Amino acid sequence: VSDTGAKNEVWEDEAFPVDLRVMNKGEHNILAHEVEFEIKGISPHDFTGLSFNENNANKIEGVSEFLPEGGIDYISFGDAQYVALTGTHYDANFFVYYSYPYKTHINIPKVCYKENIRDSTVCDVDSTKQAFSSGGPIQVGTVKEKYIGKGKILLEIPIKNVAQGRIKAFNNDEFQPNFDEISFQINQPGWDCTSRGNNNVARISHPTGQPGNEEVIIRCINDNLEEGALYQKSITMELSYYYKDWVEQVVRIRENPE
């Protein structure tokens, strides 16, 4: 989401448009009416002509080969006029909160399936694995693969919130200031995944109330490798969540000199 730029100034008897340009910088498409917008920071009783709740009327395409900058939509909250000026001016601090469902896809292209750890050919189990994640606020770090017993391998998949917003796993959840929650699902059979004992939700704690470099590990175990397994295979995981962020803009409303 992009705001309208530097601080604006208007006269007290002048109506001004409150518009938002929305850009999808991730790779997941946003469907019409999936983004919820809410204006905060100002009193609804102090303005006329302003809608405080809106959603996107159009689909917003994600980043792709044919749309490298991502899709754009424009949200109008109406033409606002301030009705409560006392003194020479008032700085109206508009906060627009927006939330939407999103998915991040993780790909680990070279996971080593090796039933006999004594075999030194083809690939190494006990090693770090390069991983890739699609665009979005949740990103993946360096994955570790480990041999944990005969026919058993483990993946440790670290994820973190690289943006300033808040994240919840499901629509009926509440956004929390001190942790984010993400739903996860691995897309290959034979794997069981957990994060701190939970088999479908990973929680990233933020002790200061603001996302930093905190991460959480999703641990995935395959404990039934076929006899003689000796190959590499791509593993994918889907992260699903609802994301909430905000932009702000100051509008100075001046007393009419006449």
Side-chain angles (χ1 to χ4, degrees):
V1 173
S2 298
D3 61 23
T4 54
K7 179 165 65 177
N8 300 290
E9 294 189 0
V10 298
W11 299 115
E12 61 179 308
D13 57 356
E14 180 183 357
F16 57 93
V18 179
D19 300 322
L20 207 62
R21 182 182 63 170
V22 184
M23 304 175 66
N24 187 354
K25 306 303 290 185
E27 297 175 21
H28 179 68
N29 294 331
I30 299 292
L31 301 181
H33 311 298
E34 280 195 326
V35 190
E36 298 178 354
F37 300 90
E38 184 178 11
I39 292 178
K40 295 286 190 179
I42 58 173
S43 171
H45 304 293
D46 292 346
F47 287 85
T48 61
L50 190 60
S51 171
F52 279 72
N53 294 275
E54 290 292 339
N55 60 57
N56 59 311
N58 304 301
K59 178 181 178 181
I60 311 174
E61 299 281 351
V63 173
S64 66
E65 178 184 357
F66 305 104
L67 197 64
E69 298 301 320
I72 298 176
D73 197 13
Y74 294 88
I75 311 299
S76 174
F77 297 90
D79 293 326
Q81 185 171 349
Y82 189 57
V83 296
L85 185 65
T86 58
T88 59
H89 70 274
Y90 165 66
D91 285 339
N93 199 4
F94 286 79
F95 285 82
V96 179
Y97 286 80
Y98 57 97
S99 60
Y100 55 91
Y102 215 73
K103 295 180 186 291
T104 293
H105 299 276
I106 294 174
N107 180 35
I108 311 164
K110 294 184 178 181
V111 174
C112 183
Y113 282 64
K114 181 179 290 189
E115 185 261 344
N116 183 2
I117 194 63
R118 293 184 177 87
D119 191 317
S120 61
T121 63
V122 179
C123 57
D124 295 324
V125 172
D126 290 312
S127 60
T128 59
K129 306 294 178 181
Q130 192 172 18
F132 304 91
S133 50
S134 58
I138 295 296
Q139 294 290 295
V140 65
T142 299
V143 173
K144 294 180 180 179
E145 184 179 4
K146 299 178 181 179
Y147 190 81
I148 56 173
K150 183 173 176 58
K152 298 180 181 180
I153 54 177
L154 164 70
L155 292 174
E156 293 182 342
I157 306 170
I159 61 171
K160 65 180 179 179
N161 180 2
V162 298
Q164 69 169 358
R166 301 291 188 260
I167 298 173
K168 64 181 182 179
F170 305 107
N171 190 32
N172 291 332
D173 294 345
E174 297 290 335
F175 290 103
Q176 301 294 333
N178 59 337
F179 63 82
D180 296 321
E181 287 190 331
I182 301 100
S183 173
F184 60 84
Q185 178 179 343
I186 197 162
N187 295 329
Q188 274 74 30
W191 292 90
D192 290 317
C193 299
T194 60
S195 180
R196 296 175 178 169
N198 194 311
N199 63 4
N200 71 332
V201 172
R203 175 179 289 190
I204 305 174
S205 298
H206 303 303
T208 66
Q210 182 69 24
N213 290 316
E214 302 91 354
E215 64 181 25
V216 68
I217 303 295
I218 300 173
R219 303 175 79 250
C220 296
I221 293 175
N222 189 324
D223 60 2
N224 193 29
L225 295 185
E226 66 270 29
E227 185 175 353
L230 185 60
Y231 55 88
Q232 290 180 310
K233 188 174 182 178
S234 176
I235 297 298
T236 60
M237 173 175 284
E238 182 178 272
L239 308 178
S240 301
Y241 49 92
Y242 288 77
Y243 187 72
K244 182 178 184 178
D245 206 347
W246 63 89
V247 292
E248 60 180 298
Q249 175 70 63
V250 175
V251 178
R252 173 161 292 187
I253 300 164
R254 290 190 175 276
E255 179 185 22
N256 196 319
E258 297 179 357

